[in-house]
């Protein structure tokens, strides 16, 4: 039963990853979501066997079947990550009864949004603002329907959004880009106050460690723009997964 459920989650997740890839590309190209998928180099339509998540990319050796030009690593990476995150969401809430289904739905939606903006920022060092703002409202509304306090969510969004906005202003965009505060709004509206502060702290710890490692290995210099959305996304997910133990800890810390 558990194996069957896990297999189903992985298949569903990789299919959602495929869709996330479409959303990433169409957000950049400002195309409609409903056209047929095509190769970005030769513009020929892809056939069904080219569209199997992960496997198609591996079987084709990462190249287009027709023009043999490379297919970006974004495709298999997004499909793989989305498959794993969907598996995690399903396994976390599969045995919670009817409310579990709603919780799974929320977690998959959250993962989808975070994966899309992470891939977008890694590729183009940009944040798709309208997509982020729309998703923030959708995710906050979903959480409120699940019984979370609206006041906490609004407070969380404002605190993280303003904090990151001040950082961008103070560092004149050197520390992070002007799109990052909008992702901060999303983080705050998902985690609420005060958990969002811990999410932000986790993002800074992971981001700082990765940036330091990249500097030491000379992969980047001090002037290289490092995408910050992946760390905000990781901080959001980690704080969300461990929200209950973290909240207990936080309550102790505050007294
Ligand atoms: Zn092609």
């Amino acid at each position: 039963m558990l194996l069957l459920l896990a297999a189903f989650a992985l298949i569903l997740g990789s299919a959602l990853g495929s869709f996330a890839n479409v959303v990433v590309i169409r957000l950049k190209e400002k195309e409609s979501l409903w056209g047929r998928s095509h190769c970005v180099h030769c513009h020929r339509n892809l056939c069904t066997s080219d569209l199997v998540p992960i496997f198609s990319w591996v079987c084709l050796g990462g190249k287009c079947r027709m023009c043999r030009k490379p297919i970006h690593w974004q495709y298999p990476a997004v499909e793989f990550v989305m498959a794993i995150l969907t598996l995690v969401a399903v396994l976390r809430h599969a045995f919670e009864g009817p409310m579990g289904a709603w919780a799974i739905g929320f977690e998959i939606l959250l993962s989808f949004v975070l994966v899309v903006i992470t891939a977008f920022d890694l590729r183009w060092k940009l944040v798709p603002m309208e997509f982020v703002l729309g998703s923030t409202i959708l995710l906050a509304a979903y959480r409120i329907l699940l019984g979370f306090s609206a006041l906490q969510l609004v407070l969380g969004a404002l605190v993280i959004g303003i904090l990151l906005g001040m950082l961008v202003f103070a560092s004149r965009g050197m520390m992070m880009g002007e799109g990052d505060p909008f992702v901060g709004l999303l983080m705050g509206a998902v985690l609420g106050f005060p958990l969002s502060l811990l999410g932000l702290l986790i993002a800074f710890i992971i981001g700082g460690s990765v940036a330091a490692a990249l500097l030491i290995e000379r992969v980047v210099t001090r002037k290289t723009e490092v995408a910050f959305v992946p760390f905000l996304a990781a901080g959001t997910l980690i704080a969300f997964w461990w929200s209950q133990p973290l909240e207990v800890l936080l309550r102790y810390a505050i007294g």
Side-chain angles (χ1 to χ4, degrees):
M1 179 61 193
L2 191 67
L3 267 176
L4 208 68
L5 199 66
F8 169 74
L10 286 173
I11 294 169
L12 172 71
S14 55
L16 286 170
S18 259
F19 183 56
N21 277 320
V22 174
V23 173
V24 170
I25 300 297
R26 307 266 159 120
L27 273 175
K28 182 73 169 56
E29 311 288 339
K30 305 252 186 283
E31 282 180 59
S32 121
L33 270 178
W34 310 114
R36 282 201 58 180
S37 299
H38 52 75
C39 167
V40 289
H41 303 292
C42 62
H43 298 285
R44 277 179 280 202
N45 285 334
L46 301 181
C47 53
T48 320
S49 63
D50 293 339
L51 295 172
V52 185
I54 307 170
F55 292 100
S56 290
W57 192 84
V58 174
C59 291
L60 291 169
K63 293 191 178 90
C64 168
R65 184 190 297 282
M66 275 125 356
C67 67
R68 308 302 300 162
K69 290 222 175 91
I71 305 170
H72 203 276
W73 56 262
Q74 174 210 320
Y75 295 91
V78 163
E79 286 156 1
F80 179 76
V81 171
M82 199 56 219
I84 298 296
L85 293 179
T86 305
L87 179 67
V88 171
V90 169
L91 293 183
R92 268 166 45 89
H93 303 288
F95 305 101
E96 289 173 1
M99 274 317 280
W102 289 100
I104 292 173
F106 179 80
E107 219 173 297
I108 291 178
L109 184 66
L110 173 64
S111 305
F112 184 89
V113 169
L114 294 176
V115 164
V116 166
I117 57 177
T118 295
F120 203 91
D121 195 25
L122 281 175
R123 269 191 89 168
W124 296 294
K125 304 276 168 19
L126 283 171
V127 173
M129 307 272 199
E130 285 149 19
F131 177 80
V132 170
L133 289 177
S135 307
T136 302
I137 293 167
L138 185 68
L139 286 165
Y142 198 146
R143 277 223 101 176
I144 291 165
L145 284 178
L146 287 179
F148 210 85
S149 140
L151 185 68
Q152 269 194 333
L153 296 185
V154 172
L155 198 60
L158 287 178
V159 167
I160 304 298
I162 291 172
L163 263 177
L164 291 185
M166 279 166 31
L167 267 179
V168 171
F169 184 72
S171 71
R172 295 208 189 102
M174 288 295 283
M175 265 189 76
M176 54 186 72
E178 54 198 20
D180 294 319
F182 290 89
V183 182
L185 280 181
L186 189 143
M187 173 190 248
V190 166
L191 297 176
F193 189 82
L195 187 62
S196 48
L197 285 175
L198 268 176
L200 189 62
L201 184 67
I202 296 169
F204 276 122
I205 292 171
I206 303 177
S209 321
V210 171
L214 291 178
L215 272 173
I216 293 168
E217 293 293 321
R218 291 169 202 256
V219 180
V220 298
T221 67
R222 281 189 182 279
K223 284 186 181 141
T224 321
E225 233 184 307
V226 176
F228 195 60
V229 171
F231 306 116
L232 287 174
T236 304
L237 264 186
I238 293 171
F240 182 79
W241 283 332
W242 284 295
S243 52
Q244 276 166 343
L246 283 178
E247 247 159 70
V248 173
L249 262 180
L250 204 65
R251 231 170 277 146
Y252 269 111
I254 293 171

